[in-house]
Amino acid sequence: MATLVLKPDRDPTALAHAAALLRAGELVAFPTETVYGLGARVFCEPAIARIFAVKGRPADNPLIVHIAAVEDVHRVAVEIPSSFWVLAERFFPGPLTLIVRRHPSVPACVSAGLETVAVRMPRNPYALELIRLTGEPVAAPSANRSGRPSPTRAEHVLQDLDGLIAAVVDGGECEIGLESTVLHLLMEPPLIMRPGAITADELSAVLGVPVEYWRGSPTEAVPSPGVKYRHYAPNASVLLLPSWEEVRQWVQEHPEADPVVLASETPPEPFPLPVRLLQAATLYAEFRRADSEGKTHILVLYTPSVQAHPALADRLRKAATHTAEEGP
Ligand code: AMP
Ligand code: MG
């Protein structure tokens, strides 16, 4: 099966076509403001099973359910806490995923068997229109093979999944480029399972209670199973180095290596290697580019200002760490 590339900016029927495929139980990748998602109808169990199969995703890693209107949360969740409505009012549509209690009609495999469900309303207009036209919430993890960096352009989706899915809606580059903040609302206090563009301080200011980042180790019992896997990683080894001095030293000590440098600032003096911009929106694209060039190492200038960016620092640390239990 060839994967169709549907371009809604040129073809007015593109989103209706994509929605028809989703309704028929096919998989369709689509842009969101965070990364490209790989969508399936949430109530179609065989389609959900196909998501896990084509991604090579471990069955214990739950999917996020995408809705196009806040009230649609009632179709996928029950016993919705008041904190959900407070946060939805402020942050939906946007890069925030809220974990609440799963509606019994949502197949358990969507949530990897958990009693909870992760819900998000994306703000990309193509994503919203696609979900609306489908007429049902859409379960969608990132549209990459498991363990690869998330796609932020339609061509990244095709690199991983061409021929394995019915279509990709090409909406250009994702605005944010890193996955949503995942907040567990059934914990007290609410816990951020995955940092994203919306920070603990912003959430805490709206909720009026402290919001913490989950800091458990990857191997302990995890309330959000997906976080234990090594994610977001290119094939090249990622090294986090705190100063230009250490970058230079590493390069001198490894003359056989073929590295690229990612930095959010220019080097103090001319540098003998390619230096590319480190920023959230293009991090995954740079990972994929380094891999396509066959680079052996990605040296990241990991300054305090980079470390102060919770989502960017989290993805860099994950890419640089090989945990004991790796995702495939
Ligand atoms: P992805 O869809 O690839 O962006 O990954 C979704 C992430 O959301 C998973 O890795 C989990 O960490 C988290 N998640 C989704 N559903 C749940 C849930 N029901 N409970 C806890 N965490 C969840
Ligand atoms: Mg993912």
Side-chain angles (χ1 to χ4, degrees):
M1 166 181 67
T3 296
L4 276 173
V5 179
L6 299 167
K7 296 184 184 271
D9 58 337
R10 288 184 215 162
D11 170 7
T13 67
L15 292 175
H17 192 163
L21 289 168
L22 281 172
R23 278 200 303 277
E26 299 284 351
L27 304 188
V28 175
F30 59 96
T32 80
E33 73 279 20
T34 59
V35 300
Y36 274 74
L38 177 60
R41 275 175 49 206
V42 73
F43 300 123
C44 180
E45 222 171 315
I48 301 296
R50 289 261 306 144
I51 286 185
F52 284 90
V54 304
K55 276 183 63 85
R57 186 173 178 105
D60 67 354
N61 194 354
L63 311 180
I64 294 173
V65 178
H66 293 68
I67 55 177
V70 178
E71 321 77 79
D72 284 349
V73 68
H74 291 299
R75 301 181 68 181
V76 294
V78 290
E79 299 166 35
I80 298 159
S82 57
S83 53
F84 176 92
W85 302 106
V86 173
L87 292 169
E89 168 76 21
R90 170 68 182 80
F91 295 110
F92 280 17
L96 177 65
T97 297
L98 298 173
I99 295 176
V100 288
R101 199 163 299 287
R102 177 167 55 89
H103 193 294
S105 61
V106 173
C109 57
V110 169
S111 293
L114 299 170
E115 296 297 313
T116 52
V117 64
V119 183
R120 168 165 126 77
M121 180 173 169
R123 73 171 175 231
N124 178 295
Y126 296 142
L128 284 172
E129 183 64 1
L130 175 62
I131 299 163
R132 207 184 58 72
L133 291 171
T134 303
E136 183 172 315
V138 171
S142 51
N144 51 285
R145 290 275 307 165
S146 198
R148 298 262 294 143
S150 296
T152 54
R153 297 204 294 252
E155 70 185 77
H156 300 158
V157 176
L158 294 172
Q159 283 169 5
D160 284 16
L161 301 175
D162 194 9
L164 296 174
I165 62 175
V168 54
V169 174
D170 185 350
E173 255 177 75
C174 298
E175 168 200 343
I176 295 175
L178 298 178
E179 300 84 348
S180 60
T181 303
V182 176
L183 183 68
H184 207 307
L185 285 184
L186 304 182
M187 303 268 174
E188 288 216 25
L191 211 49
I192 293 183
M193 309 311 310
R194 177 174 75 186
I198 296 173
T199 63
D201 288 349
E202 287 175 275
L203 294 167
S204 170
V206 171
L207 284 176
V209 297
V211 171
E212 309 276 332
Y213 288 100
W214 181 74
R215 296 195 194 279
S217 85
T219 45
E220 80 187 48
V222 255
S224 186
V227 298
K228 75 183 177 204
Y229 293 107
R230 177 176 184 251
H231 276 142
Y232 326 115
N235 297 326
S237 299
V238 176
L239 297 176
L240 308 184
L241 301 168
S243 66
W244 283 111
E245 194 42 49
E246 288 183 59
V247 175
R248 270 179 204 286
Q249 198 180 331
W250 190 94
V251 172
Q252 270 164 19
E253 287 168 5
H254 300 82
E256 77 295 350
D258 181 17
V260 59
V261 180
L262 294 185
S264 54
E265 54 193 67
T266 48
E269 53 208 68
F271 205 75
L273 290 172
V275 178
R276 292 169 187 163
L277 183 63
L278 173 64
Q279 57 175 2
T282 52
L283 176 72
Y284 292 145
E286 290 296 356
F287 281 177
R288 284 178 180 265
R289 178 172 165 197
D291 278 351
S292 68
E293 293 169 343
K295 297 289 179 191
T296 58
H297 294 80
I298 298 171
L299 310 180
V300 177
L301 187 71
Y302 195 57
T303 58
S305 75
V306 173
Q307 291 170 47
H309 187 307
L312 182 58
D314 172 74
R315 303 311 189 273
L316 288 169
R317 284 195 306 269
K318 284 189 173 134
T321 315
H322 295 248
T323 58
E325 193 176 348
E326 288 198 0

